[in-house]
Amino acid sequence: MNKTVNINLAGTFFHIDEDAYARLQRYLEAIRHSFSNTQGRDEIISDIEARIAELFNEKIKNDRQVISIKEVEEVIAIMGQPEDYMVDEEIFEDEPKRTKTTKTVGKQLYRDTENGHVGGVSSGLGHYLGIEAIWVRLLWILLTIFSSGAFILIYIAFWIFVPEAKTTADKLAMRGEEVTVSNIEKKIREGFHEVSDSIKNVDYEKYGKKASAGASSAATTLGGIIKFCLKLIVKFVGILLLLIAGSTLIGLFVGLFAVGTFGIIEAPWTDYIEMVNSGAPLWLISILAFFAVGIPFFFLFVLGLKILVRNLKSIGRIALLTLLGLWLISVIGLTVVGVSQATNRAFDGEVADTEKLAITPTDTLFLRMRNNSEYTGRTWRSSDFRLAYDNNDKILVGNDISLIVRSTKDSLGKMEILKSAEGKNYQDAKDRAANINYSTSLLGNELFLDSYFTSDASYGYRDQEVEITLYLPEGIVLYADDNTSSFHRNDSFSGGILNSGEEGHFLKIMEDETICEDCPVDTWDSEDDTWEEDSEDWDSSDDFNARIDVNGEEMNIRVNDEGVEVNDQKVNRIKIDSNGVEINHGS
């Protein structure tokens, strides 16, 4: 049974068995002896010990694990034996230098504060991406300008989460060079001699030397290339996650203030959001949405950093559990608000008003829509709404108005105004419908209908609508203005008799239909088999001849100055409609 020794290596405590400790001690003594006459000896030894401590930390799984001789030998194999680099440069100065392939490792993302101006982020990214730091700085400036300063938050995030390259081992890993004893010595000597050469394209150099020396087979080379490509794809995914998650977080943060949550920015659309919202306050919904959407993207941002930064600082278990708790609370809160929003519009309520119109079957009624420039300039139907002010009182203005024209056998006309809205229950919906203000006026033989309605803004927008049904006595003549075209309906469900395209004409109201008194008369052109509208230039002296098929029987129709003839027999009237052809021979 071996004894266990507690050692302090580069400020870190380790449990190591006696044999392993003896092997490590001999190894460190050999290194100290090899650098006895080397400039910067203490700094080299310190960095070597720090690197060994870092390798030990990677190999142990918990603080109680004891380091054995196996782990020590593995670390020595990585760091290299002292005899591998002990060369007296003065003795062998005249001999040609031996060329040795330098093993390289993947680059790690660090902040290069030595060559940085602020936090060393740009310089560190330059090393990682293999480009000059000036181009990275220029890219930061452009992204910050185009995002109105938002990318500063991403820079700060890099500054917080990306570790600084403090030790020589960190600086070597930042440039992609393997952290060995010889490389640590080389790096420190470069610092003493102010050498600024950087490591270039080490990955390509590695593959080139392998190919030229024939050290590996074609299959090995192909596998290395595939491995390199996979690493490149993983790094690209990490950068993509950073950009997407970072942009989303910035957008959420800006949107939190843009919707007026904290009253810092007075956004004009907040009133409209509040009019539609029937659940929790807007500021609470904004905060819940910010955490519900932002926290997952924050974890994606950290994941992207972990892909790029091997030694990324952990956010800690307490912070992790806190964020998860906030996310769950936000999701549950938004669910409750959504259910409340749906239930507040679950019922429909209606209020109807009917009034008599002083118009008789012998009258001519002119129908027009009117607007109010203070509320809205629209004279067409629309399902949206706007906000306006009436004596400093905020009101809702809508254009969702439908017009239906029907016939009646009564001697006087009448008008029915149906107001409807939604609510959390039937009474709430009915109260909201009753709050709708809508006006009409009959001046002589002119009937004016408002193209808008108003409602108190405190009731909110709950799909308020107004439906106007005109019952006109049979025999009356109706003239509908062109501005009524978008409001009236003539579908089979509504039973309206005012058809689209009949605006601007005098229409005689008959039983469930209208007869246009000034519409052009359609005639049949026998040459090209088309109907043509009658006009003042039509020459009545010309005969009209046509042949039509009625129920399988051909009929010859002739129209001239003497009248209308069907199969050489005079008739009084020919009526063609959806019911067929009606021929009245008369007496």
Side-chain angles (χ1 to χ4, degrees):
M1 182 174 63
N2 294 333
K3 295 181 179 179
T4 300
V5 180
N6 296 329
I7 63 172
N8 183 346
L9 190 62
T12 306
F13 287 94
F14 296 98
H15 303 289
I16 183 170
D17 64 42
E18 191 174 24
D19 294 339
Y21 173 71
R23 177 72 177 93
L24 178 63
Q25 194 173 29
R26 290 195 302 271
Y27 178 71
L28 292 177
E29 286 296 332
I31 291 176
R32 291 188 183 94
H33 176 71
S34 63
F35 293 118
S36 57
N37 297 322
T38 303
Q39 189 177 14
R41 172 180 176 272
D42 293 337
E43 185 176 354
I44 294 173
I45 299 300
S46 177
D47 284 334
I48 291 174
E49 291 181 352
R51 177 55 179 166
I52 294 174
E54 182 180 337
L55 293 174
F56 280 159
N57 277 324
E58 293 178 359
K59 293 183 177 298
I60 62 176
K61 298 180 179 179
N62 54 66
D63 295 337
R64 296 183 179 181
Q65 180 176 342
V66 178
I67 297 174
S68 63
I69 189 68
K70 176 184 177 183
E71 283 81 15
V72 173
E73 292 295 345
E74 290 176 352
V75 170
I76 292 175
I78 294 174
M79 297 297 296
Q81 296 290 343
E83 56 268 20
D84 293 337
Y85 56 86
M86 285 180 58
V87 179
D88 190 338
E89 295 181 356
E90 294 180 358
I91 296 175
F92 301 102
E93 186 176 10
D94 296 332
E95 294 186 7
K97 295 182 179 180
R98 293 177 293 176
T99 302
K100 184 176 71 173
T101 302
T102 303
K103 184 179 180 181
T104 59
V105 295
K107 295 181 182 179
Q108 298 183 31
L109 183 58
Y110 287 95
R111 290 186 292 111
D112 186 5
T113 54
E114 290 184 354
N115 300 312
H117 298 291
V118 181
V121 174
S122 299
S123 183
L125 285 173
H127 289 301
Y128 187 80
L129 299 175
I131 60 177
E132 293 292 334
I134 184 65
W135 299 112
V136 181
R137 295 187 180 100
L138 181 61
L139 182 61
W140 277 117
I141 294 173
L142 293 176
L143 292 175
T144 303
I145 293 174
F146 289 130
S147 63
S148 301
F151 261 82
I152 294 178
L153 298 177
I154 297 181
Y155 184 91
I156 295 175
F158 271 98
W159 196 348
I160 294 174
F161 289 103
V162 177
E164 177 187 353
K166 295 181 179 180
T167 66
T168 303
D170 294 341
K171 296 172 185 177
L172 290 171
M174 179 176 64
R175 289 169 169 81
E177 187 173 355
E178 186 183 20
V179 185
T180 60
V181 175
S182 59
N183 285 336
I184 291 175
E185 181 220 1
K186 176 184 176 183
K187 180 61 183 174
I188 293 178
R189 284 193 177 188
E190 287 178 354
F192 277 102
H193 294 88
E194 296 182 352
V195 178
S196 61
D197 293 334
S198 61
I199 302 172
K200 305 176 182 178
N201 279 328
V202 293
D203 290 327
Y204 291 107
E205 181 183 353
K206 177 180 67 176
Y207 294 123
K209 289 183 178 179
K210 282 185 178 181
S212 61
S216 61
S217 63
T220 304
T221 304
L222 181 60
I225 294 175
I226 294 175
K227 185 178 179 181
F228 171 77
C229 293
L230 290 177
K231 287 183 178 180
L232 190 64
I233 292 174
V234 171
K235 300 300 182 182
F236 175 76
V237 171
I239 295 174
L240 194 63
L241 287 176
L242 286 180
L243 292 176
I244 294 175
S247 301
T248 303
L249 290 174
I250 292 172
L252 288 172
F253 186 78
V254 174
L256 191 64
F257 293 91
V259 297
T261 303
F262 302 111
I264 298 177
I265 301 176
E266 188 64 27
W269 54 83
T270 54
D271 292 335
Y272 290 89
I273 298 176
E274 291 177 351
M275 291 293 291
V276 178
N277 174 42
S278 58
L282 178 60
W283 64 267
L284 179 59
I285 296 176
S286 300
I287 293 177
L288 291 177
F290 176 79
F291 286 117
V293 180
I295 290 176
F297 277 95
F298 172 76
F299 284 124
L300 285 178
F301 185 82
V302 174
L303 177 61
L305 283 177
K306 284 186 176 181
I307 293 176
L308 299 177
V309 183
R310 181 175 299 178
N311 298 324
L312 183 69
K313 299 177 183 177
S314 174
I315 62 175
R317 179 175 297 179
I318 296 177
L320 177 63
L321 294 177
T322 302
L323 289 175
L324 287 176
L326 281 175
W327 182 78
L328 288 175
I329 293 173
S330 301
V331 171
I332 294 173
L334 287 178
T335 303
V336 173
V337 172
V339 173
S340 175
Q341 181 82 5
T343 55
N344 282 336
R345 306 185 66 168
F347 292 86
D348 295 325
E350 296 179 347
V351 174
D353 297 323
T354 303
E355 61 178 282
K356 293 290 185 179
L357 297 177
I359 51 176
T360 63
T362 59
D363 292 333
T364 297
L365 179 65
F366 293 88
L367 179 63
R368 292 184 176 88
M369 307 299 292
R370 64 183 177 185
N371 61 6
N372 187 332
S373 58
E374 294 183 2
Y375 296 154
T376 175
R378 297 182 178 180
T379 317
W380 63 87
R381 185 180 180 184
S382 175
S383 59
D384 58 359
F385 69 95
R386 292 162 307 288
L387 293 176
Y389 288 89
D390 183 16
N391 297 325
N392 295 326
D393 294 329
K394 189 183 296 184
I395 61 174
L396 178 146
V397 181
N399 293 98
D400 198 353
I401 299 170
S402 59
L403 171 64
I404 303 173
V405 178
R406 295 175 180 169
S407 62
T408 178
K409 294 184 180 297
D410 296 339
S411 59
L412 291 177
K414 66 178 181 179
M415 177 171 54
E416 181 182 273
I417 300 176
L418 182 65
K419 305 172 184 177
S420 62
E422 298 175 343
K424 60 183 178 181
N425 52 54
Y426 177 73
Q427 188 60 44
D428 179 61
K430 190 173 181 179
D431 292 342
R432 186 171 283 106
N435 183 258
I436 297 175
N437 300 313
Y438 184 75
S439 300
T440 64
S441 60
L442 179 62
L443 303 178
N445 63 343
E446 290 186 291
L447 178 60
F448 294 95
L449 306 176
D450 284 352
S451 64
Y452 64 95
F453 64 82
T454 61
S455 176
D456 193 330
S458 61
Y459 284 88
Y461 176 73
R462 301 295 182 274
D463 200 19
Q464 287 91 333
E465 297 179 9
V466 174
E467 183 180 273
I468 307 164
T469 304
L470 287 179
Y471 294 91
L472 302 181
E474 295 179 7
I476 193 173
V477 176
L478 172 65
Y479 183 92
D481 194 271
D482 289 336
N483 63 10
T484 63
S485 60
S486 65
F487 294 93
H488 68 75
R489 305 186 316 196
N490 59 340
D491 51 44
S492 59
F493 177 77
S494 66
I497 60 175
L498 178 58
N499 299 315
S500 298
E502 292 183 341
E503 303 87 2
H505 295 287
F506 289 92
L507 309 174
K508 190 171 184 178
I509 304 299
M510 305 300 290
E511 183 179 359
D512 296 331
E513 66 174 344
T514 60
I515 298 178
C516 183
E517 296 188 334
D518 61 341
C519 293
V521 178
D522 292 339
T523 60
W524 182 261
D525 189 345
S526 60
E527 293 183 358
D528 56 5
D529 293 338
T530 58
W531 289 96
E532 296 181 351
E533 291 186 352
D534 194 5
S535 65
E536 296 178 357
D537 297 332
W538 181 66
D539 186 1
S540 60
S541 62
D542 294 336
D543 289 349
F544 171 79
N545 297 286
R547 178 179 296 175
I548 62 176
D549 185 285
V550 180
N551 297 329
E553 180 181 357
E554 286 189 353
M555 291 188 177
N556 296 318
I557 299 177
R558 179 181 298 172
V559 181
N560 52 32
D561 294 339
E562 296 179 1
V564 180
E565 292 181 359
V566 176
N567 292 339
D568 298 329
Q569 293 183 5
K570 288 188 177 182
V571 296
N572 292 337
R573 183 169 65 115
I574 297 178
K575 181 181 179 182
I576 302 176
D577 55 18
S578 59
N579 296 323
V581 180
E582 178 184 347
I583 301 175
N584 188 353
H585 292 276
S587 56

